[in-house]
Structure formats: structure tokens, C-alpha cells
Amino acid sequence: MLKEFILKPFLVKSKEEFSYLPSYKAKEWEKVQKKELLLQLGKEAAEQPIPELTATMFLDFYQTGSRGGYESILMTKRQNLLKLIVVQVTHPHENFIPKIIDYVWSFCEQTSWIPPSHNNHYYTHYPDKVKLPRFNAERNYVDLYAGSIGALLSLTYYFFEKEFDEYSPLINQRIIQCVCDRVVFPVLNYDDFGWMGLSAEGRINNWNPWITYNALFSAMCMPLEQQQRRLMLNKCFLILEQFIQYYFPDGGCDEGSDYFYHAGGCLISVLDLISYVTNGTVDILQEPLIQNIALYAERAVLFDNVYANFGDNSPRQFTYSDILYFMGQKTGCESLVRYGLKRRQAFENKEMDTATNTDYPQMRIMKLFRIAEMDQQPPVDYQPERTCFMKDTMILTSRQCPETGMGFSIGAKGGQNDESHNHNDVGQVMVYFDKKPVIVDPGNTVYEAKTFSPQRYEIPTMQSGCHNLPTVNGVMQKDGKEYCAEFVDFQDDEDKTLLSYEIGKAYPSEAGINFLKRTTTLDREKGIVTIADDFSIQKGEIEWNLMVYGKPEISDNQIKTISGCTICVQGINVEISACYAEELDQVRVKQNWDEPLYHVTLKGTDLSIGTLILLFQKG
């Protein structure tokens, strides 16, 4: 898609022509809402001392594995600077410029913009991994943090170049040097950053468009000559091409509903930036694949703002409506525009309007204008499709009553166990009744050193045993692309939706599985959901796991939940037990759910062939 433009002649906007955002003191800033609150936040940031980042804070990550200390302080530092930028552009009569300069200078003095958790992603050519950032490294690596900080400093230069010069020309010179040396030129000159997908080992994921968006924005803010600007754009074409090719035609995001905004969401944003800087010459935003990538944000919804949260994702979203609205506008997907408006009008936590997301600070500035525009729109009617099935990505969402979201809503997946932000969850199913959780996907946990290491699957939430899946002869699913589902059947009409996968291949051979077929059915006419597992194993036991929302009552092969739904166990004899899911007693999991999760097990012994049926019904 993008590679074909590399040899085509066209001009890229110069620094002087680059007006991607309103300029400082432009009239457009009058449209921004909640200015008093923005002023309050800016004043609070100005009164705080600039956070100090020390060598021992950096080293603490290697001692404890915690990403909280250094990264939290670095995040506060980024957020404070963005708050100061926002308050200055929305209140030009105030003078926060000196404090902004101090933050800019502090970032430029910082040895590295990369946190300890990403410090050794690139320096693998050294005999021993280093535990501190290398000073004046001969080749600066660009990670998510470096790209975001580069864009943040570029934003200050974009708005306040003239004001900085009144203090000292060295401020702008230092910004240009640091942003170019640490972000722009490394992205332009090197191909061996794994996230690029060009030559080094690595995997394509949200890092690709996320960093590219920030790097290209930074480059366009810099006083680069036309040739360098065009070369940078061509390099971004090559990088983004890898990301686009990674996607299946259905546009499904294997990173999940939260990470979509860093993945597909950033792709739409950087493609919009590319269209802008090329004066519309390079515009692929309404290509079918790009539209499908955008529509994932709608298709993965169960109801309202609740998602099928497979992988490292949370079930509910209280922000991002402006991104949905923007993506719908740019890709020509009217339903996504309406969903963004509906989310804004009915479900958005508007207290988060002022939340300072520094992942891509230029988008934070755009949000100020988007929500002002959205809040002028009349109430909108929106309902999701009855069923959305992304066959390539093997993800299903389906609703009994899409008009209201009442009755049953289900999410199901096949897939494979080497997805980005993977959990071993091939065949996972989640069920809601009357908008209340019944059986769930616990979701994400607080990241630590172990999360993205060979020990990832020691974490309970990553294991199939903490999903609504069977453990066979004491063996859980295994991580790896070869541990996958095979499509069997999909049916959908007004009365019923059915999805069937063979999931036995998701388990290693020691599980002794001949076949294990899972069929999930939503019967709208009868108002029931069934999960049927047909199995043949080498004689032994199967323990079915259910992550149940709230404390259940168990009696006579029935599991009565607090959600107004009873699960009837049919087909084979099993011993049912329930206990508080201590393994899920983690901060992020508790934030995801209003009630504690209970781990229900259904244990069948002396099994060889048969069918277990879970029937979900009102009552």
C-alpha cells in the first residue's frame, strides 16, 4: 500500500508549512472546554519540583522487577510538562514558559529517555547486558518512551519556538539536537530495531505505528531540508508497510481491545499525518483493510463500553471516544462515528477529559478540539450489529438483543498461543447476562519484569487454568504459535449464533487429547447460551475451569451466580467446587471487576470420551 509511493514524485510540507495543530495564540484555542480546570492542573504542575531520576532508581528494576518506581516518576515528569504546555496554549496571558523551559532542559540533560524495562532491547551486541543507560551511545535506540518524549519536546518547539529564543537561542538548538539524535535520525538511519519489522529479530505489534507516529511528527516539527523530510517519510512507509501486512483481511487486532488504540488507532493517526504532510497525495485511509482495522474497535464490543477483553486487556473503557470518532471520520466508517458519539454521550468518564496522556502528546492536544466538537452534536442513536465474527483472527462477539444489550452477550475466540500480549486462552468464552458478568476473562495485571520474559506463563492470569477452559490430565495449554485452534463451523441468523473450534491442538501431547471440540451457541429464541465440549482423551481426568463473577451458590449440578443467571452442568458426572480466586488477587484484576472473582472447577474422572455441556439460563 505505502511502498508504491516511495518512488513517486511529490513534496513534503516544510517546517514553515507544517500547521498540523493550531499555533500558539491562534483563535482556535477559544473552542477548548474546561479551561479553569486546565489552569488549575497547570498551576499544580508548575508548583511541583521537577521529578528527579537517579541511577539507583534505574537499578531498582533489576533488583525488584517492579516497573513502578522509575517509570512512574518518568511518567509524572512527562505529564507535568504536557499539563504546562496545555495550560500555556489555552491561557496565553499566563506565563508558564520559564517552567516549561526548565522541564525541556531537564529532559535534554537526562542521559536516556528509555526506562530500565526497555534498556536492553537493543544492546545485545555487548557481551554483558548493561543495567544503566549508555551515555552518548554510538547508536541511540528508540523505544516507546524515547519516541513519546521526542514528540513532547517537539511539541514545545512547535508552539514556543519564538518565546524560547527570547530567553536563549540555545534552548531551541538543544531541542533540535536531542530530538534528532535520539529519535529522528536513529529511525531514519537504522533498520535493526525489532519493532520496525525490517531486518532484526522482533515481532510486529503496537510499537510499530506508535513510535512511527511520534517519530514522524517530531521530524516534521524539525527544521529539516526537503530531502531529509522525504527520506524520513519513505522510511515510515517501509516501517508501516510491515505493520499493515501483519494484519489479516478482517482487521482483527490480536493485541486486544485496550492495545488497539496504540496499534490500529495509532496507524490511523499516522496515516492521517502522512496524508496531511503530502497534501493528500498519499492517502490510504479508506482502503478496505484500513477500514476493517478501524472497525475492530466496534466489532470487539459486547455492549455499551464493555469489550471482549482477551489478553492483557480490561473489560471496560471510560475514554477514547474521541479516537473512535476521529477514526470513523477519516476512514469513512459512519457507524464508528456514531459509536464514538454514543460512547461520549452515555458512557464516557468526562473527568478524564483533562487526563494527560503523553503516549502521543500531539493526539492529546487534538482531543481538546475533538471533544469540543463532539459535545456540540445532538444525541445519537447507535446499536451494534447482532453478531460480529472476525474469521481470520477467530474472534466472535454476539448479542441476544443488540438494541438494548439486555439478555445474553457472548465473546469467544479461537486463535493461537503466540499472539501479541498473549494469554494461553485458545477457546476462551465470556458470558454476560443483562449487562452483568457471568463468566469472565480476568484481564490484565500490573506489569513487572516477569511479564515480558521467558517466565511470563508462570503468572496465573496468563495460564489457561485461569480462563474458562479445561485442564486435561493435569496439563494446561502451552504457549507457542503451533498451539492453536482449528475452525470447524460458524452459523448466524436471527434465532441463533453458533461457533465451533477444535482446540485440542492448544495442549501439548502429554495432555493425551485425541480431540477436543468446543461449540458455543447463543440461542436468542430460547434465551440461553450453551458451551459444549466434545472430547476424546487417553483415559484420565478433565478439570473444567470457570472464572465466575461474584460468589456462586452450588447445588445439584447447578451454579447460581449473582448476575441473575444459572449455569446448568449436563452430559457427564463432575464434582463441582468453588473458591475465592486467590491467584487473581491482584491490583489490576480488582480494578477490572466490581465483585471478587471465584474459581469454579468441574472435575470429571475416569473419562475417555464424552460431552460436557454448560447451559446458561435466566434464574
Side-chain angles (χ1 to χ4, degrees), residues 21-151:
L21 302 169
S23 61
Y24 181 42
K25 298 183 179 178
K27 197 169 184 179
E28 288 95 323
W29 295 106
E30 296 175 4
K31 301 175 184 177
V32 173
Q33 305 174 139
K34 299 187 178 180
K35 288 187 179 178
E36 290 185 7
L37 183 54
L38 293 174
L39 179 59
Q40 177 187 332
L41 294 173
K43 286 182 175 180
E44 291 172 358
E47 291 169 359
Q48 296 176 24
I50 297 176
E52 183 181 8
L53 294 162
T54 67
T56 51
M57 288 178 188
F58 201 97
L59 290 169
D60 182 69
F61 169 78
Y62 300 97
Q63 300 291 327
T64 66
S66 170
R67 294 179 58 169
Y70 187 94
E71 289 189 32
S72 294
I73 296 170
L74 180 56
M75 183 63 71
T76 298
K77 185 176 179 180
R78 290 163 54 183
Q79 289 174 340
N80 282 350
L81 176 53
L82 186 51
K83 288 175 185 177
L84 291 165
I85 294 170
V86 170
V87 72
Q88 188 63 58
V89 294
T90 55
H91 297 78
H93 56 282
E94 300 282 348
N95 185 18
F96 295 94
I97 297 294
K99 193 71 173 185
I100 292 172
I101 290 172
D102 286 343
Y103 266 95
V104 166
W105 201 258
S106 177
F107 273 114
C108 291
E109 289 289 305
Q110 198 171 307
T111 300
S112 172
W113 295 341
I114 296 174
S117 57
H118 297 169
N119 190 42
N120 287 306
H121 280 200
Y122 178 62
Y123 295 114
T124 55
H125 53 284
Y126 290 104
D128 299 307
K129 287 193 171 184
V130 292
K131 292 185 178 181
L132 283 171
R134 290 189 171 270
F135 182 67
N136 287 335
E138 65 273 18
R139 295 177 64 176
N140 283 310
Y141 177 60
V142 184
D143 78 324
L144 297 176
Y145 281 71
S148 298
I149 293 170

Side-chain angles (χ1 to χ4, degrees), residues 15 23 64 147 152 177 188 200 205 404 454 460 481 495 599 619:
K15 173 183 173 293
S23 61
T64 66
L152 186 60
Q177 179 189 26
L188 177 59
N205 60 17
T404 64
K481 194 169 186 176
D495 296 331
H599 191 157

Side-chain angles (χ1 to χ4, degrees), residues 393-462:
T393 325
M394 299 188 182
I395 294 174
L396 169 78
T397 59
S398 190
R399 289 145 284 277
Q400 182 179 351
C401 184
E403 297 85 358
T404 64
M406 301 303 283
F408 283 103
S409 300
I410 63 171
K413 77 180 289 288
Q416 41 90 4
N417 283 335
D418 189 35
E419 296 168 340
S420 191
H421 292 273
N422 181 68
H423 292 191
N424 289 340
D425 61 353
V426 169
Q428 168 73 337
V429 179
M430 58 194 71
V431 178
Y432 285 71
F433 179 72
D434 283 350
K435 298 188 178 183
K436 296 184 286 290
V438 181
I439 59 171
V440 305
D441 192 306
N444 47 2
T445 58
V446 175
Y447 287 168
E448 55 185 349
K450 184 185 284 190
T451 308
F452 299 103
S453 77
Q455 290 75 47
R456 176 178 178 87
Y457 297 99
E458 295 175 5
I459 301 171
T461 52
M462 311 296 174

Side-chain angles (χ1 to χ4, degrees), residues 7 10 59 89 96 205 216 227 243 251 257 273 283 326 349 369 381 393 404 406 422 458 477 495 534 540 561 585 599:
L7 298 178
F10 57 83
L59 290 169
V89 294
F96 295 94
N205 60 17
L216 183 60
Q227 183 180 10
F243 182 80
S257 51
L273 176 57
D283 190 339
F326 160 78
N349 179 358
F369 297 100
D381 289 327
T393 325
T404 64
M406 301 303 283
N422 181 68
E458 295 175 5
Q477 291 187 9
D495 296 331
D534 298 305
T561 73
D585 190 3
H599 191 157

Side-chain angles (χ1 to χ4, degrees), residues 549-596:
Y549 179 79
K551 187 175 182 179
E553 297 178 8
I554 297 172
S555 62
D556 299 328
N557 284 334
Q558 291 190 345
I559 305 164
K560 187 175 180 61
T561 73
I562 68 170
S563 306
C565 172
T566 297
I567 308 169
C568 302
V569 183
Q570 303 174 350
I572 62 172
N573 292 323
V574 292
E575 179 184 340
I576 306 175
S577 62
C579 64
Y580 172 66
E582 291 186 15
E583 67 274 26
L584 301 179
D585 190 3
Q586 301 181 32
V587 173
R588 288 288 288 276
V589 175
K590 288 181 176 179
Q591 290 173 346
N592 286 339
W593 306 105
D594 297 329
E595 296 285 340

